[in-house]
Structure formats: C-alpha cells, structure tokens
Amino acid sequence: MASMTDLIFLLLIFFMITSTVVSPNAIKVLLPQGKEQTSAKPLTRVIIDKDLNYYAAFGNDTEQPVTLDELPGFLQSCATREPEMYVALYADVSVPYGEIVKVLNIANENHFKMVLATRPPDNDNE
C-alpha cells in the first residue's frame, strides 16, 4: 500500500512532467525553471507569491486575492463554467513545498487537472 509520501512524490513527478509555460501575469512570481513544456492552455490560474499570498483567476480575468479556504469553492465555480479546465499553479520559487502540497491536495480531492507553471531555463546551452 502506497504511503502518503509516495503519493505526493508521484504527484509531484507527474506535475513536473506535465508542467507548462503560460503567459506572464501582473503578480510578481519568480517561477522555478523547467525543461519540459507542453502546449496545454490552462484556463484557471492559482498564484502563490513569495509572501505566501494566494491569488486566483479564471480565463483572462484579473487575478483576485483568495484565502486557502476560499480556493476550493473558487475552483469549483470555475469548473462549472469549463468542466475540462486545467488549473495552472504559479508558485514563487521560494514557496515552501508544504504550501504547494495544500493546493495539490485541493486539486486531487476535486479531480481537477493541474499543471505547475515553470519558466524556461536561462541561457541553457545543453
């Protein structure tokens, strides 16, 4: 039987493999670098800045501040508008892993498809 740690590790690997780069937003977040990018276009954005403030937006809407408690309801309301939506998580590179896991758990409990947003590598000549 897989432990919770194993499950979280597998989820993290899955999200890293399916990570995507989407258009920059107004809230300043330094994304971690990632080599793999897909062409998926998430429709809902969840942002965690370096001060652990949460923001969320659907489609081209402007990001609005939300609390972690408000996030499940916000995402559910977005899913009623677009059942096949992806949720892109923009987490500043300094955000603790535990904060990211909280959002992953919300997505998992509600069966939302989630991708972790990354930025392309800087001057990568490999």
Side-chain angles (χ1 to χ4, degrees):
M1 185 172 187
S3 70
M4 188 64 169
T5 305
D6 292 339
L7 178 63
I8 291 170
F9 185 68
L10 288 172
L11 280 172
L12 180 64
I13 290 173
F14 171 76
F15 293 132
M16 288 170 64
I17 290 171
T18 59
S19 65
T20 184
V21 173
V22 284
S23 58
N25 49 68
I27 298 163
K28 190 165 176 55
V29 174
L30 177 61
L31 297 173
Q33 290 185 351
K35 291 189 178 210
E36 299 297 323
Q37 284 122 32
T38 68
S39 60
K41 296 292 185 210
L43 294 171
T44 303
R45 300 181 303 286
V46 176
I47 301 156
I48 311 172
D49 70 14
K50 62 183 175 55
D51 299 317
L52 303 185
N53 296 311
Y54 284 77
Y55 303 88
F58 177 80
N60 293 322
D61 296 349
T62 304
E63 293 88 1
Q64 302 295 326
V66 293
T67 65
L68 191 62
D69 292 337
E70 294 169 340
L71 194 56
F74 176 83
L75 294 176
Q76 287 162 358
S77 70
C78 294
T80 60
R81 294 163 69 183
E82 179 51 68
E84 295 299 312
M85 74 172 186
Y86 277 80
V87 179
L89 175 59
Y90 293 80
D92 190 272
V93 70
S94 66
V95 170
Y97 181 64
E99 291 297 313
I100 293 169
V101 169
K102 290 176 188 176
V103 178
L104 297 182
N105 284 339
I106 290 170
N108 189 39
E109 288 163 9
N110 291 280
H111 308 289
F112 297 132
K113 297 178 208 135
M114 179 158 252
V115 293
L116 295 180
T118 59
R119 61 189 169 93
D122 296 326
N123 301 323
D124 188 11
N125 295 323
E126 288 185 29

